[in-house]
Amino acid sequence: MMSTRAEKASTVARDTTRRIAMGKRKGIWKEQLFKYVLILCIVIAFVTLLALIIHSAWLGRGRLDLNLITQMPSTLNPETSGMQSALWGTVILMVGVLVTVVPLGISAAVYLEEYADTERWWNRFIELNIQNLAAVPSIVFGILGLAYVVREGFAFGPVAYAGSLTLAMLVLPTVILASREALKAVPDSIRQASYGMGATKWQTVWHQVLPVAVPGMITGTILAMSRAIGETAPLLLVGATTFVTFNPDSAFAGAYTAIPVQIYQWASRPQPEFRELAAAGVILLIVVLLIMNSAAIWLRNRYSRFDL
Amino acid sequence: MTSQTTTETTSNTRGHVPPVMAARELGVYYGDFHAVSGVNLDFNRHEVTALIGPSGCGKSTVLRSLNRMNDLIPKARVEGEVTYHGQDIYQPKIDPIEVRRRIGMVFQKPNPFPKSIFDNVAYGPRVTKMKVDSMNDLVEQSLRRAALWDEVKDNLKGSAFGLSGGQQQRLCIARAIATSPDVILLDEPCSSLDPIATAAIEDLMTDLKQEYTQIIVTHNMQQAARISDTTAFFTAGVDEESGKRIGRLVEYNDTSSIFNNPAEKSTEDYVSGRFG
């Protein structure tokens, strides 16, 4: 009796082992294939990016010196021409975008996520439109900016902040959508706990919800700024001049240009010197972008001290 | 389980001291869904009242309506009266924020804020702008009352998430008592804790009886028997008028009567483990 039971048990065990082993052998190539397809996707994305950077760096290697950021652009002396005015233009533009889009985007997200009653048709209408706005081509925002920021409406004229405002409109949906996701990810138990303590809605949002959502919001802002810094088309429409040999007076006065606009202008010239400059400009743009994003990531890490 | 007996059993106000809180013909709707109806309860000063019953009987709903936490659920609607020292807390002139400051709450899952231990306790006094001589003293006092001080006193600046589940729940109790509420509502506070942590919370609740009126929802009948003075048994039944399931209060009495000598058959079945 005992022995038959033990035999039976060992047969079952052997059978199970065999089945597991076979199953493993059968499924394993699929598993491996899937993994390699995923790796391939990463490699394609990475190699493309790397190829672009290396190509630009190689082409512009002769011009990657301090002249690039200390000299003004010049059509007469391409050998000594730099892009100081474009660098300053981009910095001023980006600061303008940041101070505009962050408060606007986060406030809109907080309203939609924490206050809005989604049963109301106007709130659903706003939601739908924000999603649609994210898909509108940037040139359309350029036309909008030209009409209502530069000429009429705000009527700033072709100054840097007009460019900032246009870019801010362009990336606002990105910031709102990312911030809403960040707010959605805040566990409801935290809100409940705060209300249970006798906190008001505002106190709950300000002290509990926002701090938890900040890292996600910063990520959204990084994405938005990365998109804004490379935009050329809307800037051409709202008055970023392609050739400026002086820095803008301020965000609200004086002609300005930006790095991508400057690259566009150089790249369309026939002389090889300018093409090299354009390549060097691409590298400069990437460096500015990396500095900007590193600052944001540093800020994000400071805020995510308490992990959920 | 007729409404006749419900009224009889709940009108049993123990002693002549007016209750701290009372529910009169309390009913709660979520949209069209009538979650619970006709609840009459008195909560006496410095007692622990346990709300027991099977899932879906509306006991948590009743608990949450006692400090207007149901206001936060869209479409939730309350009928009847909930009084706090004789004042109906659902009167339009009553500020729900003020209600929650006096009637604190501890939740099912420990939910400390993603902040330091110190800031978790100090949050309530800060947002309610309590006059505090020394926040350090208040935090220490609250943590001592919650029997947590000795375990965390060297790590007050550390994250509350570094604590174990039981410690987190005691932190939530410390946080609730830091604003010196009158009543503490506990919604299955031990359901995610191990037996040792549960025992610690139960000891704590017994201690806190000297100063606070406590109302606890629990699925654990031994727990209700151990710590509560009065017990209310809820169940869900089909309403004769609407034909829908609805939560009802079946019986409310001294805990010993509920467990040893229940008036209702369904109470006896439930507490003896025959259903639910």
Side-chain angles (χ1 to χ4, degrees):
Chain A
M1 184 69 190
M2 279 302 283
S3 68
T4 51
R5 195 182 286 172
E7 265 169 39
K8 206 174 169 190
S10 79
T11 324
V12 168
R14 221 176 314 130
D15 200 39
T16 315
T17 323
R18 191 169 340 117
R19 235 180 294 155
I20 290 169
M22 273 174 61
K24 203 178 169 195
R25 222 177 297 142
K26 226 195 262 173
I28 202 153
W29 69 269
K30 272 191 197 164
E31 179 120 4
Q32 291 292 325
L33 180 72
F34 187 55
K35 193 172 91 180
Y36 288 123
V37 167
L38 294 182
I39 292 174
L40 185 70
C41 293
I42 290 278
V43 167
I44 289 173
F46 193 69
V47 165
T48 315
L49 179 67
L50 210 64
L52 274 171
I53 294 176
I54 292 173
H55 177 74
S56 301
W58 181 252
L59 202 65
R61 68 190 185 281
R63 310 305 301 261
L64 286 171
D65 48 27
L66 273 180
N67 268 353
L68 192 67
I69 54 171
T70 53
Q71 296 295 315
M72 291 296 171
S74 160
T75 40
L76 300 174
N77 309 306
E79 325 63 63
T80 58
S81 170
M83 53 193 318
Q84 196 197 9
S85 54
L87 177 61
W88 270 112
T90 286
V91 168
I92 290 174
L93 269 175
M94 285 302 113
V95 171
V97 172
L98 192 72
V99 300
T100 310
V101 87
V102 167
L104 267 181
I106 291 178
S107 310
V110 167
Y111 170 74
L112 287 171
E113 214 43 60
E114 304 289 328
Y115 288 85
D117 178 357
T118 47
E119 298 279 307
R120 305 277 174 212
W121 67 268
W122 58 85
N123 288 323
R124 286 209 304 270
F125 181 74
I126 291 171
E127 268 190 66
L128 187 70
N129 274 287
I130 289 171
Q131 280 158 20
N132 285 339
L133 275 182
V136 170
S138 60
I139 192 83
V140 177
F141 283 98
I143 297 169
L144 183 75
L146 178 63
Y148 292 107
V149 179
V150 176
R151 293 198 179 152
E152 283 160 41
F154 290 105
F156 286 140
V159 294
Y161 189 69
S164 296
L165 207 54
T166 306
L167 291 178
M169 287 193 287
L170 175 71
V171 298
L172 188 59
T174 313
V175 175
I176 295 177
L177 292 175
S179 301
R180 287 191 65 183
E181 288 309 314
L183 289 168
K184 270 197 196 115
V186 177
D188 219 26
S189 63
I190 289 183
R191 293 184 186 87
Q192 300 252 338
S194 180
Y195 290 129
M197 302 296 306
T200 61
K201 185 153 202 162
W202 162 246
Q203 285 169 331
T204 301
V205 169
W206 182 252
H207 292 292
Q208 301 298 348
V209 178
L210 276 179
V212 179
V214 157
M217 289 174 166
I218 293 177
T219 305
T221 309
I222 292 175
L223 289 174
M225 297 292 281
S226 306
R227 177 164 180 209
I229 200 172
E231 279 294 340
T232 320
L235 286 181
L236 288 174
L237 274 176
V238 295
T241 335
T242 51
F243 186 77
V244 193
T245 56
F246 45 85
N247 294 333
D249 299 334
S250 78
F252 291 96
Y256 71 101
T257 187
I259 298 175
V261 176
Q262 186 73 62
I263 293 170
Y264 165 75
Q265 198 255 0
W266 277 335
S268 51
R269 285 175 178 268
Q271 297 94 321
E273 291 89 346
F274 287 115
R275 299 247 276 296
E276 283 174 26
L277 267 173
V282 169
I283 298 299
L284 182 65
L285 187 64
I286 291 171
V287 168
V288 173
L289 181 68
L290 284 179
I291 292 172
M292 206 168 76
N293 288 357
S294 316
I297 290 166
W298 173 80
L299 202 67
R300 183 174 64 189
N301 291 346
R302 250 185 56 131
Y303 266 99
S304 17
R305 217 153 46 91
F306 293 111
D307 288 323
L308 282 173
Chain B
M1 198 187 41
T2 59
S3 57
Q4 185 62 47
T5 44
T6 308
T7 323
E8 261 171 39
T9 47
T10 53
S11 59
N12 171 23
T13 11
R14 292 145 36 93
H16 298 289
V17 189
V20 173
M21 293 195 77
R24 289 286 169 267
E25 292 301 322
L26 174 70
V28 183
Y29 295 81
Y30 297 118
D32 294 332
F33 174 61
H34 199 170
V36 65
S37 81
V39 175
N40 290 291
L41 285 169
D42 286 322
F43 302 105
N44 295 316
R45 193 171 150 78
H46 295 182
E47 281 189 358
V48 174
T49 304
L51 312 182
I52 61 168
S55 297
C57 67
K59 56 196 187 304
S60 284
T61 296
V62 167
L63 189 80
R64 294 170 60 89
S65 63
L66 296 179
N67 72 341
R68 295 192 61 170
M69 286 299 279
N70 276 340
D71 290 18
L72 304 171
I73 299 169
K75 290 189 182 174
R77 193 158 53 80
V78 171
E79 62 178 19
E81 260 187 8
V82 174
T83 58
Y84 170 75
H85 292 293
Q87 169 72 55
D88 183 3
I89 62 169
Y90 281 95
Q91 289 290 314
K93 62 175 179 183
I94 299 286
D95 180 7
I97 305 295
E98 197 55 44
V99 170
R100 293 183 205 127
R101 283 173 190 179
R102 291 167 195 233
I103 306 169
M105 186 143 193
V106 176
F107 297 83
Q108 190 169 353
K109 232 181 114 219
N111 56 352
F113 299 124
K115 295 178 184 295
S116 70
I117 293 166
F118 185 95
D119 286 339
N120 259 276
V121 182
Y123 180 70
R126 276 177 191 153
V127 295
T128 55
K129 300 192 176 61
M130 249 172 77
K131 287 202 180 68
V132 177
D133 292 333
S134 157
M135 190 61 88
N136 289 335
D137 289 350
L138 178 67
V139 169
E140 179 178 340
Q141 212 181 355
S142 307
L143 287 168
R144 276 190 195 283
R145 294 294 292 116
L148 189 61
W149 174 252
D150 289 333
E151 291 158 62
V152 301
K153 63 183 176 199
D154 301 320
N155 190 28
L156 291 175
K157 297 277 165 231
S159 167
F161 289 138
L163 301 175
S164 72
Q167 289 174 323
Q168 287 188 9
Q169 198 60 302
R170 274 180 283 150
L171 178 65
C172 291
I173 293 175
R175 184 174 72 179
I177 58 186
T179 48
S180 355
D182 200 7
V183 181
I184 304 174
L185 310 177
L186 303 106
D187 189 0
E188 297 181 47
C190 303
S191 63
S192 62
L193 304 182
D194 66 36
I196 295 170
T198 300
I201 302 278
E202 288 180 9
D203 287 349
L204 173 59
M205 288 184 66
T206 311
D207 269 5
L208 293 176
K209 265 162 78 163
Q210 296 160 16
E211 291 164 66
Y212 306 97
T213 305
Q214 296 168 86
I215 304 166
I216 179 174
V217 165
T218 178
H219 269 158
N220 181 335
M221 274 170 291
Q222 286 76 32
Q223 179 170 63
R226 278 193 299 265
I227 58 173
S228 69
D229 302 291
T230 49
T231 297
F233 171 63
F234 290 77
T235 193
V238 177
D239 187 57
E240 282 138 27
E241 287 169 43
S242 62
K244 287 178 182 162
R245 258 175 83 84
I246 183 166
R248 285 191 183 285
L249 173 64
V250 176
E251 192 172 351
Y252 177 49
N253 213 331
D254 292 347
T255 297
S256 60
S257 306
I258 292 278
F259 279 88
N260 301 322
N261 189 21
E264 294 286 326
K265 180 77 170 60
S266 57
T267 312
E268 192 184 340
D269 288 351
Y270 186 75
V271 298
S272 60
R274 275 200 282 270
F275 103 98

